[in-house]
Amino acid sequence: MDATREIYWNVGRGAIGPMYAVALVALALLGWGGWRLLATWRKGRPVARLDRLPARLAAALRDLVGQGRVLRGRGVGRLHAALFWSFLVLFLGTLLVMLQADLTEPLLGWRFLQGGFYLGYSLVLDLAGLVAVVALAALLVRRALLARRGVASTPADWLPASLLLAILLTGFMVEGTRMAATELSGAPTLARWSPVGLAAAALLAPLGEGDLRALHGALWWGHLVLAAGFIAVIPFTRLRHLIAVPASVVAASQRPRGQLTTLDLEAEGATFGASTAAELAWKDLLDADACTDCRRCEERCPAHTTGKPLSPRRLVQTIGHAARTDPAASLVDAVGKDAIWSCTSCYACEDVCPAGVEHPGKIVELRRHLTLMEGDLPGDEVRTAAEQVEVNGNPLGYPPGDRAAWAEGLDLPVAGDGTRLDLLYFAGCYASYDRRSREVARAFVKICRAAGLEVGILGTAERCCGEPVRRLGNEYLYQALARENVEAIKASGAARVVTTCPHCQATLGRDYRDLGLDLPVEHHTELIARLVAGGRLPLAAAPFTATFHDPCTLARQLGVVEPPRAALRAAGATVIEMPRHGRDGFCCGAGGGRILAEERLGARINVARAEEARGTGAPLVVSGCPFCLAMLEDGIKAGGGDSPPRARDLAEVVADRIGGGA
Amino acid sequence: MKALLVCEYREGKLQDGIYEAIAFAGRLGAGRSVLLIGRETELPRFDGKVIFADVAEAGEYHPALHRDLVAEAARREGADVVVLLHTSYGWDLAPRVAAALGATQVSEVVGLAEGGYEVPACTSKMRRVVRPRTPVTVVTLQPGAFPAGDERGGVPCLERLEVPKAAGAPLMGYEASGPKPVDLGRAEVIVSAGRGVGKKENLPTIAALAKALGGELGASRPVVDAGWLDHGRQVGTTGQTVAPRLYVACGISGAVQHLAGMKRAEFVVAINKDREAPIGEVADVLVVGDLHQIVPAVTARLEETR
Amino acid sequence: MKILVCVKQVPDTGARFRPNPAGTWYAEADLAFRMNEYDEHAVEEAIRLKEKLGGAPELTVLSVGPARVVEALRKALAMGCDRAVHVDDPAAADRDPWQVASVIAAWARGKGFDLVLTGMQSADRGSAQVGVLVAERLGLASATTAVAFECDGQAATVRRELEGGTRGVVRLPLPALVTCQLGLNVPRYPTLPNIMKAKKKPLEVVPVAGLLDEAPRAETLRFYEPPRRQGGRVIEGPLDRLVEELTAILKERALPARS
């Protein structure tokens, strides 16, 4: 006999009508709920996130099926992936049953669920179900344990896994009752291909056939109602992420990470930024439904973990609540100014989010509203700094005429001297004026010279790149500065640019493109690593131990993680990593324009980070950003006075190992 | 050359500035008469003519009336130079007198130079020498620029000045500024504590020096962050931006945020154990040593010589 | 009600100044200019008054100077002034306070301003004369150094900052002129829509020639950096010598205590 089974065994083909009726009701509810979600998202402003759709779909498919984002979270990510993949298999299997029983067999008389294929089919589905049951059980246990750690769960949190587990268990029971009544005695070889069903059947075998049939009927309908119920509640529960996450991933920004929209400031009668849900883009509202409350963002948020009133998760959910209830209500009030100003734009939240939620962009929109529409800034010190940027071109209030004073005695070519620059070193405000960062700039020039590279500078024509004020929302001031810099850089004739500051690098190389500058811009750690690898830098390597603090902008926005480490090792370093490093690195507290602001709420981020560095036992913490350097030095002193580690820039460490000196 | 020196009289008291004006006129080598809009019972100790108008009739602040009185006295005395202090009274009244006399006014004189008066410019970062082109000059003196020496003495001879009837006086009274957050921005002297003070218990020592110098207590960010002082006293870009005449930095190494907040100070004294601390770059005087020993000793010396 | 606010554009005081070739004022190269901080308080106070009086007063902002001062005027317009007047004087740096005040008075005369507000002094010349001289030339009542200001449309009540933590309360019938001290208010940060609107507000350029009828009453002979901060003096050595020297320096540099 060919291996197969009777599809509507026991319930009979008479069940088909009511079954489809139940399914239709579920699908109608799903459709209606889905429509409501869509209507909510459409309350947002238009934004081009469905262009180049085939490429978007392909990328999304790869990410979703591969569970790439989900797997960034190690333990729970694997459970979710296992669950996802097993349900994918179960869904496809159920689809095949439907295909045969309701289409090919009645219409064409074609049965394909038989023979060897059916045996394999049975086994795969059975095992997939088993994997899913185990994963769900583990998830439920985890949730119970979370409560012990103080993370309270609501019934809404318990629902998805419980419902799925109930569906699977009733499914196995249906299979078990059927097998107990049929295959167990009739086709024992066949039964072996459904091991989980077989186990259930063995358990139920003592019942007589009549009882088995009665039980099977009840379970079959129960299973059906549960499955239909699952479909129906998707749009109304956390399960809506089954719709919203794929949508969010398809609509994910395809621009480089961290790139903000360049506003058209001349637009007639425009409002800038967002103060309500309706003023955000539709993707921002979609994000709120994609959020599954998983808290990964919160766990990594430097503001949240140091006791500040910002939670990226709560931010997104507050936006979602507003979008559903009152899209014209003030988000500034609902989110709170302290939360809005606490963000350091470190992008840890966006980077780790399994649902493709883009948190920092929302913060920037709220900040744009506050600065551009209300003239509001997080404090007097920030206001002063912004004014200094406006007047003097740097937030520290030093005279623009002194901008090149750091290079005195170095005899660097200056743009406008008639020299055409090849490699332009855009020093930035800190390297220009901050005593500590000036040492970094001079060390970097020494490295370039040792490698036979001549860098030129813009001199007094250089302005603040505009990143800190832009991150605080002041797009107007940013664009004014950017236009001056773009003009000066173009006039210098430079073919490429190097910076010692990731904020400058991201701004010049990525953001200025919108304003007409199209030049390769490199971070000095990349350049140094390249020079070292190419054998152009004669280093007298001596063994030492160091840890590397990844500047957020460098690691998460620009994806530069390995080059500074390679350069460190070439200089003789044994690199001991901090627990949070690379793409998972922890902020110094100075990003998002916070370098200009006083940290008044919660514990200090830089102290937390300095302690983490101290914990490695390395005597040296190396970085590649003037803000990080200032924050780390400060944090190290605050946490332990003069005790190690010492904070240095990669350029200083490497320059020390150049023989002869320049 | 003849100088008319104008007294300032406030809240029922003759202000001390007149002795600086007397010292200044001495430096000019000018003949001196004093104008007092005050009370007959409280005269400046001055061996010369005091033209007197009764404050009961003229009021302590009545710009139009005082302008007319000063101008009248200047004409009567044939003064070539009318001298006031550069104070809220002086800078308010001097331009009015200058306008009435068709005179030049030279503001905030800090010295005498060849050909003219030396005055500060650009928040005291620069100096100018100004030469008046009118026969009569009105000058206001920067308080403290011409310290009074042993001028106080003698019995003045009084000459009365009739106070004309004038329209209602604008001054309605005085009030205290009241308790408010410390405004370091306008403090003349600031003594700031940095991380180098070590612990909160050491702050009173620094505060005592500030008091001895008649100044305000300030702090660098770490001190405020540590909760030793409240944010209202923080100097720096994240605190207050200050421009005092004298800034004393105790145990402040000189983080860029701090330097940016105090670089407009006219004279900076730093006390630090580290000779290489960045504060040394902006300090006019860097005292290398242990502030816990130096500060109390200096405070004691300042207090005993007051 | 008509209000005039007089503002000056000055170099940022954080700058390092160098004398011009004539040695009479600073060279402008490499300097960053901004609205005089005292004048910003005057602008803010005028706008607050306008808001308080229901938007009725018309706010005119005026500045005397070369073409660059338009930036300061634009900022005042962005903050909330209604119209601007640029008295175009390329040689404004050479004018003495008497001339500047005369030019402003010549322009304002007969235009019916009820209130004139300006800063108590400028950050560069710092004479603290122009405001009062404008009032004298126009025959207005005036008060200087306001740290609090109220106006009901008929009269202004000004709290003047005096030395030693005291304020003098002064009442002036309008028309009047008031000069503003730092701390009078917190000047607003212009919003972007207002910056954009400011670009379309009227800005009248008046050549100085028709307004300047006075000769200077003073001239600058020299402009220079006072001799100090020659790299800073370092005092090291035994404690008693440190104390000795430091005490002497502090006594010299601290103001004599006023009683």
Side-chain angles (χ1 to χ4, degrees):
Chain A
M1 194 189 85
D2 219 6
T4 185
R5 70 171 157 101
E6 186 189 338
I7 302 279
Y8 291 107
W9 176 82
N10 189 38
V11 292
R13 296 197 68 84
I16 295 177
M19 178 187 80
Y20 272 98
V22 169
L24 274 176
V25 169
L27 286 172
L29 281 168
L30 174 67
W32 178 64
W35 176 254
R36 285 209 346 182
L37 288 181
L38 204 62
T40 302
W41 305 341
R42 288 169 62 103
K43 291 174 190 167
R45 276 190 188 178
V47 58
R49 287 297 183 86
L50 294 174
D51 51 328
R52 289 172 296 170
L53 202 53
R56 286 179 174 277
L57 288 171
L61 202 63
R62 213 175 313 124
D63 184 71
L64 293 169
V65 173
Q67 290 281 286
R69 289 170 197 253
V70 174
L71 283 166
R72 292 262 285 124
R74 304 260 181 273
V76 71
R78 285 184 193 150
L79 290 178
H80 183 279
L83 189 63
F84 174 84
W85 287 322
S86 51
F87 260 89
L88 192 64
V89 169
L90 290 169
F91 177 69
L92 291 174
T94 310
L95 221 55
L96 286 181
V97 169
M98 190 182 106
L99 207 63
Q100 174 182 305
D102 304 335
L103 279 174
T104 64
E105 196 180 6
L107 297 179
L108 309 167
W110 180 41
R111 297 169 59 115
F112 48 84
L113 290 176
Q114 56 186 344
F117 178 72
Y118 178 68
L119 292 179
Y121 169 90
S122 291
L123 183 64
V124 167
L125 254 67
D126 229 45
L127 291 179
L130 180 65
V131 168
V133 167
V134 171
L136 285 166
L139 284 170
L140 289 169
V141 169
R142 174 180 168 272
R143 187 156 290 286
L145 293 177
L146 278 181
R148 284 214 191 150
R149 290 214 327 251
V151 182
S153 297
T154 62
D157 296 322
W158 288 99
L159 176 82
S162 312
L163 188 53
L164 285 171
L165 192 62
I167 291 171
L168 284 169
L169 291 178
T170 53
F172 277 126
M173 293 287 280
V174 168
E175 190 183 24
T177 46
R178 177 179 57 77
M179 285 171 69
T182 58
E183 289 169 20
L184 210 54
S185 52
T189 19
L190 177 59
R192 259 184 261 131
W193 292 89
S194 302
V196 183
L198 186 61
L203 216 65
L204 295 162
L207 298 176
E209 183 169 347
D211 288 344
L212 283 173
R213 281 186 174 267
L215 186 59
H216 175 270
L219 284 170
W220 193 91
W221 284 106
H223 181 66
L224 174 71
V225 168
L226 282 174
F230 174 83
I231 290 168
V233 300
I234 285 175
F236 308 100
T237 61
R238 182 122 339 121
L239 288 164
R240 70 171 74 92
H241 84 273
L242 293 176
I243 304 170
V245 170
S248 151
V249 173
V250 168
S253 169
Q254 294 193 315
R255 287 153 67 93
R257 159 77 48 81
Q259 189 176 28
L260 303 173
T261 46
T262 302
L263 296 181
D264 176 9
L265 302 174
E266 305 285 340
E268 277 301 319
T271 58
F272 303 97
S275 63
T276 64
E279 285 174 346
L280 285 165
W282 60 261
K283 168 66 164 75
D284 294 314
L285 309 188
L286 159 57
D287 279 355
D289 285 326
C291 173
T292 62
D293 227 5
C294 77
R295 295 168 195 260
R296 286 189 194 176
C297 51
E298 246 177 38
E299 286 161 10
R300 282 166 207 243
C301 175
H304 185 80
T305 54
T306 55
K308 298 174 182 55
L310 170 66
S311 150
R313 175 183 68 93
R314 228 169 26 239
L315 164 82
V316 168
Q317 297 190 346
T318 304
I319 290 170
H321 179 75
R324 282 188 295 275
T325 56
D326 187 359
S330 165
L331 271 184
V332 173
D333 293 345
V335 176
K337 284 187 188 174
D338 283 341
I340 293 171
W341 294 125
S342 288
C343 174
T344 65
S345 269
C346 78
Y347 281 83
C349 50
E350 179 175 318
D351 184 66
V352 80
C353 180
V357 174
E358 297 154 1
H359 318 71
K362 297 170 179 50
I363 295 268
V364 169
E365 288 304 319
L366 291 165
R367 288 180 172 187
R368 281 177 168 172
H369 169 82
L370 287 174
T371 41
L372 298 178
M373 302 302 292
E374 294 185 12
D376 200 351
L377 285 166
D380 289 344
E381 76 279 10
V382 179
R383 190 198 152 90
T384 306
E387 272 173 5
Q388 292 298 357
V389 170
E390 197 174 323
V391 174
N392 288 310
N394 70 82
L396 302 168
Y398 284 100
D402 287 358
R403 189 143 188 130
W406 68 271
E408 261 165 36
L410 291 178
D411 201 24
L412 293 178
V414 178
D417 282 356
T419 25
R420 257 184 86 82
L421 304 180
D422 170 41
L423 179 58
L424 170 70
Y425 171 37
F426 188 91
C429 298
Y430 265 59
S432 297
Y433 295 111
D434 171 38
R435 186 185 136 100
R436 186 68 188 80
S437 291
R438 280 180 170 188
E439 293 169 14
V440 175
R442 294 179 75 94
F444 175 62
V445 169
K446 178 180 169 186
I447 291 170
C448 291
R449 291 211 160 138
L453 268 180
E454 186 65 348
V455 292
I457 55 173
L458 290 180
T460 55
E462 185 183 293
R463 296 278 174 279
C464 171
C465 70
E467 196 259 6
V469 291
R470 188 183 205 203
R471 287 278 162 197
L472 288 167
N474 197 338
E475 180 78 3
Y476 176 74
L477 184 50
Y478 158 73
Q479 288 191 17
L481 296 161
R483 293 214 153 81
E484 285 192 64
N485 280 326
V486 168
E487 199 179 307
I489 295 169
K490 280 184 171 171
S492 77
R496 54 209 180 97
V497 183
V498 61
T499 78
T500 44
C501 172
H503 300 268
C504 294
Q505 183 201 5
T507 307
L508 267 62
R510 180 191 67 196
D511 302 348
Y512 282 9
R513 274 172 208 280
D514 284 354
L515 300 166
L517 185 76
D518 191 5
L519 285 181
V521 181
E522 206 169 22
H523 191 247
H524 70 303
T525 61
E526 294 176 276
L527 177 65
I528 292 170
R530 218 154 33 76
L531 294 174
V532 169
R536 291 180 60 187
L537 210 53
L539 288 187
F544 65 103
T545 311
T547 185
F548 188 77
H549 164 83
D550 292 89
C552 298
T553 304
L554 191 65
R556 269 191 293 267
Q557 289 191 31
L558 303 165
V560 178
V561 170
E562 194 39 40
R565 290 175 169 79
L568 268 182
R569 282 191 289 266
T574 305
V575 180
I576 307 178
E577 296 290 4
M578 284 184 261
R580 296 174 285 189
H581 64 272
R583 202 174 150 187
D584 293 319
F586 189 70
C587 187
C588 71
R594 297 285 321 170
I595 184 73
L596 309 181
E598 185 73 33
E599 195 173 339
R600 295 192 185 86
L601 302 167
R604 284 174 58 194
I605 296 171
N606 61 337
V607 175
R609 185 55 167 170
E611 285 310 304
E612 193 173 344
R614 184 168 277 140
T616 64
L620 194 62
V621 51
V622 181
S623 192
C625 169
F627 296 174
C628 293
L629 187 63
M631 295 303 276
L632 285 173
E633 286 201 331
D634 208 29
I636 289 166
K637 272 190 219 159
D642 295 330
S643 69
R646 195 175 156 212
R648 299 192 85 195
D649 189 276
L650 178 78
E652 298 177 289
V653 176
V654 171
D656 274 358
R657 283 160 180 80
I658 294 173
Chain B
M1 199 182 202
K2 195 113 205 287
L4 177 71
L5 316 173
V6 182
C7 294
E8 185 175 340
Y9 195 85
R10 202 175 85 209
E11 292 178 88
K13 260 165 64 186
L14 176 65
Q15 304 293 302
D16 262 358
I18 188 62
Y19 299 107
E20 295 181 37
I22 293 169
F24 170 77
R27 290 268 304 275
L28 268 184
R32 301 175 278 201
S33 12
V34 167
L35 171 65
L36 170 69
I37 301 171
R39 279 183 216 293
E40 218 168 333
T41 49
E42 192 185 11
L43 300 175
R45 284 168 283 159
F46 168 65
D47 196 12
K49 189 199 280 183
V50 170
I51 301 165
F52 168 77
D54 196 335
V55 72
E57 296 168 48
E60 290 188 359
Y61 176 81
H62 192 318
L65 193 49
H66 286 211
R67 170 195 66 200
D68 295 343
L69 289 170
V70 177
E72 170 60 23
R75 284 193 202 102
R76 194 194 285 185
E77 293 300 305
D80 306 290
V81 54
V82 178
V83 184
L84 299 96
L85 268 280
H86 199 69
T87 58
S88 60
Y89 180 76
W91 68 59
D92 193 278
L93 184 58
R96 306 173 199 268
V97 174
L101 294 173
T104 306
Q105 185 198 335
V106 183
S107 302
E108 207 180 354
V109 173
V110 294
L112 298 173
E114 201 189 318
Y117 301 100
E118 190 181 22
V119 300
C122 305
T123 55
S124 288
K125 284 187 161 183
M126 304 300 284
R127 291 278 164 84
R128 280 195 310 144
V129 173
V130 182
R131 177 163 67 192
R133 284 179 161 184
T134 48
V136 179
T137 307
V138 178
V139 301
T140 57
L141 308 178
Q142 186 182 76
F146 299 92
D150 43 13
E151 282 85 0
R152 298 174 200 219
V155 181
C157 72
L158 221 58
E159 189 178 308
R160 276 180 186 279
L161 191 62
E162 234 17 73
V163 179
K165 282 270 170 282
L171 180 67
M172 299 163 73
Y174 297 99
E175 60 185 37
S177 296
K180 55 173 183 176
V182 204
D183 185 0
L184 298 176
R186 289 207 300 276
E188 300 269 8
V189 175
I190 297 175
V191 180
S192 276
R195 188 198 308 279
V197 303
K199 53 184 177 182
K200 187 174 184 175
E201 290 67 36
N202 292 336
L203 278 176
T205 323
I206 312 293
L209 176 60
K211 191 166 173 245
L213 292 170
E216 287 287 355
L217 178 64
S220 69
R221 178 176 164 166
V223 169
V224 173
D225 281 349
W228 299 346
L229 273 177
D230 60 48
H231 185 255
R233 291 196 182 270
Q234 184 176 326
V235 173
T237 48
T238 59
Q240 301 188 49
T241 301
V242 302
R245 208 175 292 286
L246 172 65
Y247 189 85
V248 185
C250 302
I252 294 176
S253 64
V256 63
Q257 289 92 343
H258 187 79
L259 297 186
M262 49 67 76
K263 63 178 188 293
R264 291 177 193 169
E266 201 176 318
F267 195 87
V268 177
V269 175
I271 307 170
N272 210 299
K273 63 176 185 206
D274 178 12
R275 201 196 148 109
E276 300 304 320
I279 190 85
E281 276 188 9
V282 298
D284 296 272
V285 172
L286 172 65
V287 182
V288 184
D290 181 2
L291 68 94
H292 304 306
Q293 296 179 313
I294 298 169
V295 172
V298 169
T299 308
R301 289 282 299 275
L302 287 169
E303 278 168 351
E304 76 196 29
T305 55
R306 266 226 292 208
Chain C
M1 187 178 188
K2 289 178 74 178
I3 302 174
L4 176 65
V5 187
C6 302
V7 304
K8 183 177 184 180
Q9 196 194 36
V10 297
D12 188 74
T13 47
R16 233 187 330 182
F17 293 94
R18 275 179 289 268
N20 62 11
T24 54
W25 199 226
Y26 49 77
E28 290 200 3
D30 282 346
L31 290 182
F33 284 86
R34 55 170 296 160
M35 194 196 300
N36 183 37
E37 209 180 329
Y38 299 86
D39 301 337
E40 282 185 0
H41 292 284
V43 172
E44 175 64 29
E45 203 60 31
I47 297 164
R48 287 187 187 190
L49 180 57
K50 180 182 167 109
E51 287 167 351
K52 192 188 128 200
L53 297 181
E58 188 201 43
L59 303 189
T60 304
V61 57
L62 173 145
S63 187
V64 181
R68 59 169 161 75
V69 308
V70 168
E71 277 179 48
L73 291 173
R74 289 279 178 220
K75 175 156 189 194
L77 291 175
M79 287 172 75
C81 291
D82 299 309
R83 49 192 295 267
V85 175
H86 170 208
V87 177
D88 188 13
D89 185 3
D94 298 334
R95 314 285 178 216
D96 71 352
W98 172 251
Q99 286 181 298
V100 176
S102 300
V103 165
I104 295 171
W107 180 84
R109 190 167 289 122
K111 292 200 168 59
F113 288 108
D114 304 283
L115 180 65
V116 184
L117 291 172
T118 188
M120 72 151 287
Q121 63 184 2
S122 61
D124 54 357
R125 197 172 295 254
S127 76
Q129 293 180 28
V130 174
V132 180
L133 289 176
V134 168
E136 291 298 293
R137 298 229 67 184
L138 292 175
L140 307 179
S142 65
T144 58
T145 338
V147 287
F149 176 86
E150 289 162 56
C151 180
D152 57 10
Q154 304 300 315
T157 305
V158 175
R159 280 166 173 77
R160 299 187 60 227
E161 186 188 53
L162 310 178
E163 291 72 17
T166 307
R167 293 166 163 193
V169 186
V170 175
R171 192 168 165 83
L172 306 172
L174 299 190
L177 180 145
V178 175
T179 75
C180 304
Q181 169 67 299
L182 302 180
L184 170 62
N185 50 44
V186 180
R188 67 196 60 199
Y189 198 72
T191 66
L192 183 54
N194 285 342
I195 292 171
M196 293 302 169
K197 264 186 243 161
K199 292 183 178 175
K200 292 177 185 144
K201 289 181 178 174
L203 191 153
E204 185 189 349
V205 182
V206 183
V208 74
L211 302 171
L212 182 65
D213 52 4
E214 293 285 336
R217 290 183 166 182
E219 64 183 313
T220 303
L221 298 182
R222 290 190 293 284
F223 180 84
Y224 53 95
E225 194 171 357
R228 60 191 172 93
R229 295 205 181 180
Q230 296 129 333
R233 219 173 108 208
V234 178
I235 307 177
E236 282 175 295
L239 181 66
D240 49 353
R241 227 195 72 213
L242 294 184
V243 171
E244 180 92 4
E245 284 198 46
L246 183 55
T247 308
I249 289 165
L250 294 180
K251 263 172 144 176
E252 181 199 333
R253 290 289 168 175
L255 276 179
R258 271 186 228 135
S259 47

